[in-house]
Amino acid sequence: MPFRRMGIIIGLALVVGSLISMVLPESESKIEETLFNEITYQMGELQIVTDDLVKIRERLVGTQQVQVDAQLQTVADWLFEFRPQGETHEARKAYLIANRDRVVAMVEELRATRDALIGSNPSNTQ
């Protein structure tokens, strides 16, 4: 019987704790960590799509190759420039939000380019 009572008390404590955590605001460092993790995930997606584009690029000529080169250079520039910075939590959060949005846009743009190039030339899928 004491184990059952202890289990009920622990269960209630967990429920109350989770309800309280839902009401309290997230700490600034937790928000920054979440944003950085989102950027890190998108960097992985960016690597996959850029690897695909590099393979496809070898088979392209002319303006298509120039377009892919320009997009790949934009990605390279962003990767070299990305350094989480800011003196305050708000400045770091704003920087991370802007860069998260930028990397998401780059991934979407590169995917669209990759898909268009694969769709326009079926030999590129090999």
Side-chain angles (χ1 to χ4, degrees):
M1 193 68 152
F3 290 116
R4 184 172 182 220
R5 185 177 298 163
M6 189 168 64
I8 292 172
I9 291 171
I10 291 173
L12 286 174
L14 290 172
V15 169
V16 169
S18 66
L19 290 174
I20 289 172
S21 70
M22 288 185 339
V23 174
L24 294 176
E26 273 189 283
S27 70
E28 292 294 327
S29 60
K30 181 68 175 166
I31 293 170
E32 290 174 25
E33 181 181 345
T34 301
L35 288 167
F36 190 79
N37 289 339
E38 290 175 15
I39 292 170
T40 302
Y41 174 79
Q42 290 299 325
M43 284 177 162
E45 296 295 307
L46 194 62
Q47 180 181 1
I48 292 168
V49 75
T50 54
D51 287 348
D52 291 345
L53 280 173
V54 167
K55 290 174 190 172
I56 293 170
R57 182 205 172 277
E58 295 171 359
R59 299 182 193 112
L60 300 176
V61 292
T63 58
Q64 286 182 327
Q65 192 175 47
V66 171
Q67 175 193 8
V68 170
D69 287 345
Q71 288 178 316
L72 292 173
Q73 185 61 50
T74 300
V75 170
D77 292 343
W78 178 82
L79 285 169
F80 285 117
E81 293 171 3
F82 178 70
R83 305 267 186 288
Q85 57 192 1
E87 296 295 320
T88 65
H89 286 295
E90 283 302 315
R92 284 190 297 271
K93 188 169 81 171
Y95 179 83
L96 290 171
I97 289 171
N99 277 280
R100 180 203 53 199
D101 295 344
R102 184 169 178 206
V103 73
V104 166
M106 282 190 296
V107 168
E108 290 174 359
E109 180 182 344
L110 291 174
R111 279 185 182 148
T113 299
R114 177 194 63 193
D115 295 344
L117 290 171
I118 289 173
S120 68
N121 189 353
S123 67
N124 286 333
T125 60
Q126 299 175 358

